[in-house]
Amino acid sequence: MNYRHEFHAGNFADVLKHIILTRILLHLAAKPAPFRYIETHAGSGIYDLSAPEAEKTAEWRGGIGRLAAAELPPEAQALIAPYLNVVAPFLDAKPRRYPGSPEIARALLRRQDRMILCELHLRAFQDLRAHLGADRRAKLIEIDGYVGLKAFIPPVERRGLVLIDPPFEDAEEFLKLAKALEGAQRKWATGIFLLWYPVKDKGQVDALARTLAEAGAKSLLRLELQVAPDTGSGLVRTGLIIVNPPYRLDAEAEIILPSLSQSLAKGASGHLIEWIAKS
Ligand SMILES: C[S@@+](CC[C@H](N)C(=O)[O-])C[C@H]1O[C@@H](n2cnc3c(N)ncnc32)[C@H](O)[C@@H]1O
């Protein structure tokens, strides 16, 4: 297990993932009933953008760095603002930092909501504990995320979101993901699942989408963002599959994605908003 998110924190893929995460959490928080947020691969919680890892790739500069400096159209600005409001104090801090998904979720959880954060890598888990351990709404567990997924759903609240954000170091990750989600949907048919993937081989993503649709998911939305021509070196396209997306997330994506593609693109860019299944 070599993956370290320190090299990638705040890049264009994080930006897309975290904006959509924010939109879903805001939707859940629109009703007073409590919800549960679960992460299978939580990471460290907060990343130091002045650390050698972040400096080495400078990926954040092409992601949150560009977005924070961009002039967005008013409609997109309104939808992206809640994410930027969470991120801004971290970017303004000295040294400059970037909040990972657990920290973003923490900012949007209410008193009645709870979260479960799974992380297997000892160093990342220790960082996560240092950053979020004092929050009584958060339960941190050093565990394989797929084992956690089986163990912790459905939550007692019966409403909530699971973020599945694996490192994709393993050639079998797409298969593992498909299998885990198939089972998870069966256990919690009304849960919202947000899963992140890198687009290196479109065929793998299409196969994952097919498996989920065949497993009976009635509402499946696929979002992708490309920020540069694909020359075969480095990640330029990223995606999300959302199982049971909240009402109007597709309409929000129609405003957010073109705007991201415009503000983050270096050359050829594009986006995809596609219903894989729609009830
Ligand atoms: C892409 S990062 C997570 C980033 C985080 N979700 C965010 O958006 O801020 C993936 C994380 O998964 C952890 N990891 C790798 N294999 C794991 C496993 N089997 N179970 C749980 N965590 C794992 C890695 O240590 C890494 O911190």
Side-chain angles (χ1 to χ4, degrees), residues 59-92:
E59 286 187 20
W60 70 270
R61 292 184 188 276
I64 187 58
R66 284 184 76 159
L67 183 67
E71 280 250 358
L72 299 169
E75 263 192 311
Q77 174 64 33
L79 292 170
I80 295 173
Y83 159 74
L84 290 174
N85 291 343
V86 174
V87 170
F90 291 90
L91 281 186
D92 292 344

Side-chain angles (χ1 to χ4, degrees), residues 69-164:
E71 280 250 358
L72 299 169
E75 263 192 311
Q77 174 64 33
L79 292 170
I80 295 173
Y83 159 74
L84 290 174
N85 291 343
V86 174
V87 170
F90 291 90
L91 281 186
D92 292 344
K94 289 198 172 47
R96 188 185 272 124
R97 305 195 297 166
Y98 181 78
S101 42
E103 192 60 38
I104 292 173
R106 182 152 79 123
L108 298 173
L109 254 61
R110 304 157 304 171
R111 221 157 39 111
Q112 64 268 43
D113 306 320
R114 297 281 177 274
M115 61 178 160
I116 298 182
L117 306 170
C118 306
E119 168 59 53
L120 192 58
H121 196 290
L122 177 62
R123 191 158 146 191
F125 184 77
Q126 285 169 338
D127 286 347
L128 185 66
R129 194 166 47 200
H131 295 135
L132 283 106
D135 193 316
R136 298 180 65 176
R137 298 166 303 176
K139 187 168 168 183
L140 280 45
I141 306 176
E142 196 181 344
I143 190 177
D144 176 272
Y146 295 116
V147 174
L149 181 63
K150 270 195 195 152
F152 302 128
I153 61 163
V156 287
E157 296 86 351
R158 295 273 163 179
R159 58 191 299 268
L161 166 67
V162 180
L163 171 60
I164 306 178

